[in-house]
Amino acid sequence: MTNPTTKEPLEQIVVVEKEPEAKKQKTTMTTETKIKEVTTTPESPDEEWPEAWYMLKDGDYDDQKAENRMSPENKPCSVGELKKLGIAYWKMDAETYNYPVKAIPWDPKDAADPKLMAIRDDRGYSYADIISVKPDLLPGYDEKIKAFFEEHIHDAEEIRYIIDGSGYFDIRDTHNNWIRIHIKKGDLMTLPEGCYHRFTCDTTDFIQAMRLFIGAPVWTPFNRPQEQHPSRMEYVTNYIDNVTTA
């Protein structure tokens, strides 16, 4: 979660002098390869994935933090559809293991959860931080939440482990419709490089998340339109053209 307007992280990042020594994986692999080959820890079964549904169109709702389901009839989005868009998901144990409210950075080698350790090693995550997004913990909360809601892409995969609280990730489907994913405590989800997406807290106004990275952290959001950006072009090739021509 970055500020797409200013292109700055939520907090000032203090980079440790010596990076964690987990293997860095340069982004020479395709997005599809990164999703399908890097991870050996099995993803969670479909029944454990977060609820997702198709949203009302932008302009047809007043509150970005509301559910904003289609009406008069809700239109769920299946796990299969999320997977086709390149999303990966693991259900984690966020009750047993304790994490700080805020840690910038947080060394992923400090993980005590065996499942988190396995995912870290499988996917080469070598940098992490932990943030809390809440009105009394984040100065300028309302403005930042609006900024997070700007549609954008990244030139790296986005990885979020929800330690506490809840919120929404929205992602465009192959027909440019918004899908809303309700992420909650214990959810670890990745969004692929180049996908159009956005984030908002829900009406609880609180989420605590671990952000993980391969190598140095990548904060830069690229606001839509980005059709000629290499990461977007790669995503379209791997996940949109392959689906629409199948």
Side-chain angles (χ1 to χ4, degrees), residues 179-204:
I179 296 170
R180 172 149 283 192
I181 307 167
H182 198 186
I183 50 171
K184 300 179 181 180
K185 182 175 182 177
D187 293 338
L188 193 158
M189 190 172 73
T190 69
L191 299 176
E193 175 184 340
C195 71
Y196 281 127
H197 67 284
R198 61 191 182 188
F199 167 80
T200 184
C201 284
D202 58 20
T203 54
T204 64

Side-chain angles (χ1 to χ4, degrees), residues 11-40:
E11 302 287 348
Q12 180 66 34
I13 300 299
V14 179
V15 180
V16 291
E17 292 183 1
K18 185 177 181 181
E19 283 187 43
E21 295 177 359
K23 269 190 178 178
K24 294 182 182 179
Q25 298 185 10
K26 197 66 178 172
T27 54
T28 53
M29 299 181 292
T30 65
T31 304
E32 187 173 14
T33 301
K34 284 184 283 186
I35 294 296
K36 293 184 177 179
E37 292 185 7
V38 174
T39 301
T40 57

Side-chain angles (χ1 to χ4, degrees), residues 53-71 146 149-151 168 170-172 177-180 198-201:
W53 57 87
Y54 286 88
M55 284 185 68
L56 293 169
K57 292 182 179 180
D58 290 344
D60 289 350
Y61 55 86
D62 297 321
D63 184 0
Q64 70 183 53
K65 295 185 285 186
E67 291 186 345
N68 296 321
R69 298 174 186 262
M70 303 274 291
S71 63
K146 289 179 182 177
F149 205 56
E150 292 289 333
E151 183 175 1
Y168 298 117
D170 300 337
I171 185 172
R172 293 284 191 183
N177 299 308
W178 279 120
I179 296 170
R180 172 149 283 192
R198 61 191 182 188
F199 167 80
T200 184
C201 284

Side-chain angles (χ1 to χ4, degrees), residues 19 30 38 72 77 81 95 100 103 120 158 183 205 213 226 236:
E19 283 187 43
T30 65
V38 174
C77 177
E81 289 301 311
E95 296 290 347
R120 173 202 66 195
E158 182 162 342
I183 50 171
D205 283 318
F213 301 88
Q226 293 293 334
V236 169

